Amino acid sequence: MAQRLQGRTALITGSTSNIGRAIAVAFAAEGAHVVVSGRDEVRGAAVVDQIRQKGGRADFVRADLDGTAAASHRLAAQAAEVVNGRVDILVNNAGIYPPTTTPTTDEDTFDRVYGVNVKAPFFLTRALVPAMIGAGGGVIINLGSWIARLAVPVSSLYSSTKGAMETMTRAWAAEFGPRGVRVNAISPGVIVSPDRDTATDHPGEVMMRGTPAGRSGHPDAIAAAAVYLASDEAAFVHGTVLDVDGGRTGVAVVAV
């Protein structure tokens, strides 16, 4: 069976753990040369080693996407250098989730969350899209969240940043789609890292009660969706937010 991403290059931000790591591993398994990116060099090296041991191609580029345009532009340049050309697929996955409510959110926290979750991917996309257009095509995948549309009484700040990413997905699809760059998003439900302490219950499990899935999801579910959106199988898919949430947002929840 042919690998769906053979010969392509991909940059996945925040790919040293959890969803980002799963996407990086899945892309490499499908033939892509993957740029693993994040702040932790040790964890980054571990992901690269995991990919290479299975015969895949991967390199690590350390990046602290703090929201400055300079940081995003620097990562774009380093990623292009590592893959000896251009990045074909960009996955804007990196984000932070401070456990704050509106009354407890100060201005510094507000600016930091918007900087990492919105401003950084905006300028990273801005830096990489011209080369994609020049080469005749590319793919951008953004990570949204189910709580951008189904409100919960906490994390209004985080929710609003993910709403912004889903809105930019549609705007970028209109802006870049006619020039060959497909833009879509994935909206994960409650995803629990396999690295978590299984001795204690994850609070997200409560949020999945009564859904069709009835449980939290694994990062591999998001990775599978990302592979689809990055591949030619999704050539006719533009500006879509793909819910991978166990039915959390689309199906009425029955309390159990």
Side-chain angles (χ1 to χ4, degrees):
M1 182 176 178
Q3 293 176 301
R4 288 179 283 178
L5 304 180
Q6 185 66 43
R8 301 179 194 178
T9 60
L11 167 61
I12 302 102
T13 66
S15 49
T16 61
S17 64
N18 207 17
I19 289 175
R21 176 178 60 193
I23 294 174
V25 171
F27 276 17
E30 290 290 347
H33 182 177
V34 172
V35 178
V36 176
S37 176
R39 291 176 293 181
D40 192 316
E41 295 185 16
V42 174
R43 292 196 305 184
V47 177
V48 169
D49 185 59
Q50 178 184 354
I51 290 171
R52 290 178 177 176
Q53 284 185 2
K54 295 180 180 180
R57 299 181 66 194
D59 292 280
F60 175 72
V61 174
R62 187 186 182 282
D64 184 1
L65 295 175
D66 56 7
T68 62
S72 292
H73 291 166
R74 183 163 53 250
L75 174 57
Q78 291 175 328
E81 182 179 1
V82 163
V83 298
N84 297 316
R86 70 177 186 280
V87 173
D88 300 311
I89 305 162
L90 168 63
V91 180
N92 285 312
N93 169 72
I96 55 177
Y97 186 117
T100 61
T101 61
T102 299
T104 60
T105 299
D106 57 30
E107 186 175 5
D108 288 342
T109 299
F110 185 98
D111 290 342
R112 181 166 59 90
V113 174
Y114 260 85
V116 174
N117 292 8
V118 180
K119 189 176 177 183
F122 180 93
F123 282 102
L124 185 57
T125 299
R126 176 181 182 269
L128 291 174
V129 157
M132 292 181 182
I133 294 173
V139 173
I140 297 169
I141 301 171
N142 298 320
L143 269 291
S145 173
W146 68 275
I147 61 173
R149 279 167 291 140
L150 187 60
V152 295
V154 294
S155 303
S156 60
L157 179 60
Y158 176 83
S159 298
S160 68
T161 66
K162 290 305 180 178
M165 288 307 296
E166 293 187 9
T167 297
M168 282 201 296
T169 295
R170 292 183 285 271
W172 283 340
E175 183 177 1
F176 305 135
R179 291 184 277 177
V181 178
R182 289 191 299 105
V183 187
N184 292 288
I186 300 170
S187 179
V190 177
I191 303 296
V192 177
S193 171
D195 299 330
R196 74 180 177 94
D197 180 4
T198 56
T200 59
D201 291 333
H202 190 278
E205 296 293 346
V206 175
M207 298 181 182
M208 294 302 292
R209 289 177 183 171
T211 64
R215 58 173 176 78
S216 63
H218 190 280
D220 287 349
I222 310 303
V227 168
Y228 163 69
L229 289 176
S231 74
D232 291 340
E233 294 173 0
F236 202 54
V237 182
H238 293 262
T240 291
V241 179
L242 178 59
D243 293 323
V244 186
D245 62 3
R248 186 66 179 85
T249 56
V251 181
V253 176
V254 178
V256 294

